[in-house]
Amino acid sequence: MKNGAKALLTLPPAVYLFLFFAVPGLLMLLASFRFPGDYGGLAPWYYVEDGAITFDLTLENWARLFETTLYLQLLLKSLLFAVLTTAICALLAYPLALTIAASPKKHRDLLILMVILPFWSNFLVRIYAWMIIFSPQGALTEGLNHITGLLGLEPVNLMFSSVAVITCLVYVHLPFMVLPLYANLEKHDPALLDAAQDLGATRAQRFWKVTWPLSLPGLYAGAVLVFIPTLGIFAIPDLLGGTNGIMIGNVIKQQFVESRDWPFGSVLSLVLTGITLVLVVLAGRLGRTPGALT
Amino acid sequence: MRRRNPLVTSAAVGVYAFLYIPLIVVAIFSFNDSRLNAEWVGFTMKWYRQLIENDAMLQAAANSLIIASCAAIAAGVLGTLAGVALHRFRQKWLTALVLGPVAMPDILIGVSLLLTFMLMNISLGMMSIILAHVTFCIGFVAMAVQSRMAGMDDSLLEAARDLGASQWQSFRLITLPLLMPGIVAGMMMAFTLSIDDFVVTFFTAGVGSSTLPLEIYSMVKIAVTPEVNAVSTLLMLLTLILITALSRFSPQSLRS
Amino acid sequence: MLEIVNVSRRFGDFQALNEVSLQVQAGEFFTLLGPSGCGKTTLLRSIAGFDTPDSGDILLDGKSLLALPPEKRPVHTVFQSYALFPHMTVADNIAFPLRMSGVGKAEIERRVADVLEDVRLPDKAKHFPEELSGGQRQRIAIARALVNRPRLLLLDEPLSALDAKLREQMQIELINLQKEVGITFVYVTHDQGEALALSHRIAVMNKGEVSQIDEPSLLYSSPKNRFVADFIGQCNLLDGKVVSCDGATTRITIDGLGELAVQSNPNIPFNVGDDCALTLRPEKIRLAKSVAPESDEVHFPGTVHDMLYLGDVTVYIIEVKRDGHPVLIEALLANSAPGRARLLDTGDAVEICWPRDAGHLVR
């Protein structure tokens, strides 16, 4: 009876996710050691000749990663973009989360809803909005170039730049930072600040000695939620980045869709997977640090 | 109420402006009588009229709705089972399997499923998109259900058994109704994620299975036109209506 | 009649119940009393069917309950958290056990109305549990458990979530309700005051074993061991050794006080040289400035070490110092007469006295 219920609950989702999550992962691992097919896709990975099986696998795809510094540079740039995005998100989210947490209880839900609301408009709409804002004919660029013109500088073009990419990355991922941070700050006992003040702490000391250290778990959680999807993004650099702004996601997409070099695309994907796994494990460790509240 | 710093508050107001101004700009230019999204020329509804006549866009919208509904229902069932299982049995491997697709960048789900579908000779189309969407939606439903389970007083189930309910009756009459708000919230989340998804769909869609995000992408890729503003504005309006309606209904239907 | 026969239960290294046996009479208000971890809740859960003993048997009217799942036992529980179903109205909550046993619609309506009348909440039928106060939830939880007349009602610390005033009121209601319905109640609590006030009989439990089963008054006046003496009410425990036993009188030496004669305990045989303890209730002690030489009381000179004014009474801690080793004894004086509150002050010399038969000898 007990085992029957357990199987009934566990098996359907487990089988589904095995087929469409675990198996694809393993197939991708295998693909990274296979030769590309003549017309894209994959070449067979074994031949049967006279009843004997010959495997046709290679390390070439992995070696290609290190043949030029191109891919490593790209990876570093993607990591840099993700770090910058995460840092800016944290910088913007902190005052917002702090303000919402300090608002009267009845307003908090509405204020949080207002943070999530733009997130519910379509992902591409949100990117598109920045394409308008950064467009060379847009008011922002024209205004900026008016100023640079007065200063005798070259006119700037924001579209297809790293600035455009990072701005949009921040815009798209900001709620992921605000929500965990708010959830953390909202739980702080206001009496802690009263106690700190009572014991002689100034406003800045109250923040840096009480609020800040207690908020770190929320900040870590938010950082992971922003960093990981940012690292793998391809739509934003694709539409806003031009040739300068491309990230590792764009190259993966290119390998799978345009050059149809699946083995090398798999290699790049696995590198991204590896980084993600390391980050997830690291985040789990940080979350369990003694003294860190969750 | 806690003390507030005016500097912090004004920074917060600035961030709200950052969140909303781009969307407001999109909406305003959807009524602008000019091909360029640059200068206000005059009010027009012609972009909306053009949109209604755009059959490809309407077909894509229909596809999106079908896919999101199917994905939400399938993920609702599988995710509920997974959420209850995660809470009851706390198996590490199941946690990894359920939450893995949530944690991975979506491009990885997309390309690995593309690889799998091609190797297994599953043709790309509506079915492959739904299969892919369910993969990353299960985790969200499971998390919503699991947190609902965790907040549930265990003695409620004991009370039901104590008062004469069998194991199945106590599940049907107590557990399921109490999980309902979590299941509904999870399915709403799944629906939203599915209808919003671009990346996974991009890799798993085939000929004739274009969705709204894919359609917008191909339009934007070619040129920025106010027709995109119009479809974006409509989408935003739709989300707003949906959210308002749900928040109206929720106090009764989501009683906890 | 409920019989618990040699029930044992072990969770890993922890022996929750060790060979527990007891009998509860039909119609009795029986209480399992003890500190947390004493096994009382495990025993209650075993009776309800949520836990299965490793060995032993639980019989109701001679038939074993162990093979039956919880829903098949004629036993209902009032949970500590009340466990009212939050998504059902009060009426639906109460109707739940009736529906489960297939009672007809009209009959359900009638019985729900009746039981709501019994717990004096007839106008709350359409309310949801979250709209009720703590005391009201408590009454609904009891109504739900009683509505289909179980043979046995188990109550798991049902009053612990209520504030002190309300608790007292609910205690009176529980006593009356139990009299009215005549159903056997098995009540679990760690609050000795509650147990004394409510029960016909109490089983004091400690470390998975039953220490003593008795009526409340006997439990208070003649505890069988140090644990019961200490757990029920306030008590001075004076450690000593038996010097001689002579029928009605036993002579003991108490560390710090020296030798004295006390009344023998007919239930516990002592041998010379045995360790023993004299239990002495604070309210049995008299404090005086001086004692007449012809007095028959046990008395020692001491000084007031500390005092706690509690309103109706004052607790005095008296230090007695005879052979270097000071002994602290607690005495309780009623503040019934005006001016009695500050009869003595810290540091005052005082004679501490008690009647020869006031102490109770335990192992």
Side-chain angles (χ1 to χ4, degrees):
Chain A
M1 181 65 213
K2 183 105 194 166
N3 274 331
K6 187 169 176 174
L8 196 73
L9 286 167
T10 312
L11 275 184
V15 167
Y16 190 94
L17 289 166
F18 178 73
L19 281 179
F20 296 107
F21 181 61
V23 167
L26 294 173
L27 285 178
M28 183 169 253
L29 187 64
L30 181 63
S32 75
F33 296 104
R34 291 170 66 168
F35 287 103
D38 295 335
Y39 307 100
L42 299 167
W45 61 290
Y46 61 88
Y47 298 94
V48 182
E49 244 172 84
D50 308 329
I53 297 176
T54 328
F55 291 102
D56 198 16
L57 296 173
T58 175
L59 284 172
E60 249 172 51
N61 306 308
W62 286 93
R64 228 175 106 190
L65 200 58
F66 305 98
E67 269 166 20
T68 64
T69 55
L70 190 74
Y71 297 109
L72 293 178
Q73 270 175 352
L74 188 75
L75 202 60
L76 272 179
K77 195 173 91 182
S78 301
L79 284 168
L80 182 71
F81 275 26
V83 168
L84 276 173
T85 303
T86 308
I88 297 170
C89 275
L91 217 60
L92 294 181
Y94 215 104
L96 190 60
L98 212 54
T99 305
I100 298 173
S103 300
K105 253 205 168 77
K106 55 183 177 189
H107 293 159
R108 283 185 213 165
D109 284 348
L110 183 69
L111 288 170
I112 270 299
L113 184 72
M114 280 177 61
V115 175
I116 310 171
L117 208 56
F119 167 73
W120 269 333
S121 68
N122 191 284
F123 175 61
L124 283 165
V125 171
R126 278 172 286 155
I127 304 175
Y128 177 67
W130 287 99
M131 291 175 74
I132 294 176
I133 292 173
F134 286 131
S135 80
Q137 303 89 7
L140 184 70
T141 314
E142 300 232 312
L144 265 177
N145 283 340
H146 189 70
I147 298 169
T148 53
L150 287 178
L151 296 172
L153 298 169
E154 291 282 306
V156 293
N157 188 4
L158 292 173
M159 193 62 185
F160 303 130
S161 69
S162 305
V163 175
V165 171
I166 290 175
T167 307
C168 194
L169 282 171
V170 169
Y171 183 71
V172 165
H173 294 107
L174 191 57
F176 292 121
M177 183 64 91
V178 178
L179 293 180
L181 199 53
Y182 162 74
N184 171 290
L185 289 172
E186 196 250 336
K187 271 185 267 165
H188 291 195
D189 182 357
L192 292 178
L193 291 183
D194 290 340
Q197 189 171 22
D198 184 63
L199 298 168
T202 64
R203 174 171 246 167
Q205 284 171 323
R206 290 201 295 275
F207 177 79
W208 289 111
K209 299 281 179 197
V210 180
T211 307
W212 173 257
L214 285 176
S215 72
L216 285 178
L219 212 55
Y220 293 149
V224 173
L225 290 181
V226 173
F227 195 92
I228 291 175
T230 303
L231 196 61
I233 207 104
F234 86 85
I236 292 174
D238 196 45
L239 292 171
L240 283 166
T243 41
N244 293 328
I246 63 163
M247 294 170 69
I248 184 159
N250 298 76
V251 183
I252 293 176
K253 174 210 153 199
Q254 197 194 336
Q255 298 299 326
F256 274 96
V257 179
E258 279 124 44
S259 29
R260 288 184 51 80
D261 185 346
W262 289 6
F264 190 56
S266 296
V267 167
L268 291 173
S269 301
L270 287 167
V271 170
L272 187 57
T273 309
I275 296 173
T276 307
L277 283 178
V278 168
L279 285 172
V280 168
V281 171
L282 222 62
R285 286 274 163 78
L286 270 179
R288 258 181 275 129
T289 313
L293 301 170
T294 39
Chain B
M1 210 184 86
R2 304 174 208 182
R3 289 149 299 185
R4 288 199 260 179
N5 184 330
L7 219 71
V8 174
T9 310
S10 36
V13 172
V15 176
Y16 274 120
F18 173 69
L19 285 174
Y20 281 91
I21 284 172
L23 298 178
I24 292 168
V25 167
V26 170
I28 288 173
F29 279 122
S30 74
F31 299 104
N32 189 16
D33 195 4
S34 154
R35 277 215 78 81
L36 295 173
N37 279 307
E39 221 176 334
W40 181 258
V41 175
F43 181 85
T44 181
M45 290 293 285
K46 74 174 174 196
W47 307 118
Y48 288 90
R49 250 176 280 131
Q50 254 181 44
L51 194 66
I52 294 168
E53 285 154 20
N54 186 339
D55 287 338
M57 191 66 96
L58 292 178
Q59 183 59 50
N63 287 348
S64 278
L65 281 175
I66 293 168
I67 291 167
S69 306
C70 293
I73 291 167
V77 174
L78 293 172
T80 302
L81 296 176
V84 175
L86 285 180
H87 178 80
R88 283 262 188 87
F89 313 122
R90 303 179 191 283
Q91 292 146 307
K92 277 218 171 105
W93 62 270
L94 191 63
T95 313
L97 214 50
V98 171
L99 297 186
V102 176
M104 285 289 154
D106 40 14
I107 191 172
L108 296 175
I109 311 272
V111 294
S112 66
L113 279 172
L114 168 67
L115 201 77
T116 309
F117 290 149
M118 297 309 276
L119 291 175
M120 290 180 170
N121 282 324
I122 298 174
S123 65
L124 297 182
M126 299 280 275
M127 196 59 214
S128 64
I129 300 175
I130 293 170
L131 288 173
H133 283 198
V134 172
T135 307
F136 67 78
C137 286
I138 289 176
F140 287 94
V141 181
M143 282 194 287
V145 170
Q146 191 190 8
S147 82
R148 204 64 209 163
M149 284 290 282
M152 209 159 85
D153 182 358
D154 285 340
S155 62
L156 288 178
L157 292 180
E158 290 186 347
R161 300 292 302 279
D162 187 69
L163 297 168
S166 67
Q167 215 171 6
W168 165 245
Q169 278 173 320
S170 71
F171 179 77
R172 194 169 55 86
L173 297 173
I174 311 299
T175 313
L176 210 55
L178 288 176
L179 286 184
M180 222 45 199
I183 297 173
V184 170
M187 283 176 68
M188 271 169 52
M189 187 79 187
F191 186 88
T192 320
L193 286 167
S194 166
I195 215 161
D196 191 45
D197 179 74
F198 164 67
V199 178
V200 175
T201 316
F202 180 84
F203 290 105
T204 52
V207 185
S209 61
S210 184
T211 65
L212 217 44
L214 288 187
E215 204 61 30
I216 295 175
Y217 177 76
S218 57
M219 278 174 87
V220 165
K221 205 54 184 159
I222 299 161
V224 172
T225 86
E227 214 182 320
V228 180
N229 294 51
V231 73
S232 305
T233 309
L234 280 180
L235 274 176
M236 285 192 265
L237 205 67
L238 202 72
T239 336
L240 211 61
I241 292 170
L242 211 72
I243 290 166
T244 324
L246 277 169
S247 65
R248 282 281 152 74
F249 285 123
S250 57
Q252 285 87 31
S253 63
L254 304 185
R255 174 176 287 284
S256 54
Chain C
M1 190 178 83
L2 175 74
E3 284 171 278
I4 311 289
V5 188
N6 295 329
V7 165
S8 292
R9 181 74 171 109
R10 214 179 163 81
F11 298 105
D13 283 342
F14 179 67
Q15 188 79 43
L17 293 172
N18 189 14
E19 298 283 312
V20 170
S21 294
L22 53 87
Q23 276 134 35
V24 180
Q25 304 305 319
E28 196 174 16
F29 196 131
F30 190 88
T31 297
L32 300 171
L33 171 68
S36 63
C38 72
K40 58 190 191 298
T41 301
T42 307
L43 185 56
L44 196 78
R45 291 174 61 81
S46 307
I47 302 170
F50 301 127
D51 196 70
T52 313
D54 298 331
S55 61
D57 205 351
I58 298 173
L59 307 151
L60 190 62
D61 295 325
K63 275 177 243 142
S64 174
L65 289 178
L66 289 185
L68 299 175
E71 65 265 30
K72 295 270 190 288
R73 298 188 186 193
V75 173
H76 287 342
T77 308
V78 175
F79 290 82
Q80 189 170 8
S81 62
Y82 312 145
L84 295 176
F85 305 129
H87 57 304
M88 296 182 191
T89 60
V90 163
D92 286 336
N93 261 286
I94 297 175
F96 190 88
L98 299 173
R99 291 209 175 106
M100 290 302 108
S101 50
V103 176
K105 233 181 175 176
E107 171 79 1
I108 288 181
E109 233 163 86
R110 197 180 57 72
R111 281 166 74 176
V112 168
D114 278 357
V115 77
L116 276 172
E117 202 72 51
D118 286 347
V119 295
R120 295 185 290 104
L121 290 170
D123 53 335
K124 297 291 183 195
K126 294 273 167 288
H127 286 65
F128 282 94
E130 62 181 8
E131 296 162 342
L132 305 179
S133 72
Q136 290 170 336
R137 283 181 211 184
Q138 173 64 75
R139 290 199 215 131
I140 298 301
I142 294 173
R144 184 178 70 175
L146 282 177
V147 71
N148 66 348
R149 307 218 128 239
R151 304 295 313 277
L152 194 62
L153 186 70
L154 308 176
L155 300 103
D156 184 8
E157 310 232 6
L159 305 185
S160 61
L162 304 178
D163 61 56
K165 268 244 162 66
L166 196 55
R167 203 177 310 158
E168 191 170 314
Q169 188 196 328
M170 283 304 301
Q171 285 179 8
I172 295 168
E173 280 187 29
L174 270 178
I175 294 174
N176 292 334
L177 187 73
Q178 201 264 342
K179 255 189 235 157
E180 238 173 81
V181 298
I183 290 172
T184 313
F185 277 29
V186 175
Y187 191 100
V188 156
T189 183
H190 65 272
D191 181 331
Q192 42 103 5
E194 204 168 285
L196 293 174
L198 290 173
S199 324
H200 295 138
R201 283 192 309 148
I202 299 172
V204 181
M205 294 186 65
N206 181 34
K207 294 181 180 156
E209 293 178 7
V210 174
S211 278
Q212 185 172 357
I213 302 179
D214 253 322
E215 289 166 26
S217 60
L218 281 172
L219 216 51
Y220 187 81
S221 62
S222 349
K224 275 196 182 143
N225 51 46
R226 308 162 62 99
F227 175 79
V228 175
D230 201 27
F231 193 75
I232 309 272
Q234 285 297 104
C235 197
N236 291 299
L237 279 171
L238 304 171
D239 293 316
K241 266 195 169 48
V242 176
V243 177
S244 72
C245 312
D246 168 28
T249 310
T250 304
R251 292 194 70 82
I252 59 174
T253 58
I254 290 172
D255 312 333
L257 292 183
E259 198 173 303
L260 65 154
V262 297
Q263 201 174 35
S264 297
N265 185 339
N267 300 315
I268 309 174
F270 279 102
N271 295 317
V272 173
D274 281 356
D275 284 329
C276 66
L278 186 64
T279 69
L280 203 56
R281 298 285 179 195
E283 69 273 16
K284 299 259 173 102
I285 293 172
R286 195 169 71 85
L287 297 179
K289 291 279 179 203
S290 61
V291 180
E294 70 277 10
S295 166
D296 191 35
E297 287 175 316
V298 180
H299 59 94
F300 297 99
T303 52
V304 178
H305 191 266
D306 279 302
M307 50 185 286
L308 297 166
Y309 174 71
L310 300 178
D312 52 346
V313 294
T314 302
V315 174
Y316 292 93
I317 314 285
I318 309 297
E319 186 183 61
V320 179
K321 216 169 180 173
R322 280 196 101 184
D323 25 85
H325 177 70
V327 179
L328 294 177
I329 299 175
E330 204 179 300
L332 195 83
L333 264 63
N335 300 325
S336 43
R340 287 286 303 274
R342 286 207 155 257
L343 192 65
L344 298 162
D345 214 339
T346 310
D348 283 0
V350 71
E351 284 286 331
I352 179 167
C353 352
W354 63 84
R356 281 202 186 279
D357 60 356
H360 184 81
L361 207 57
V362 297
R363 235 178 254 283

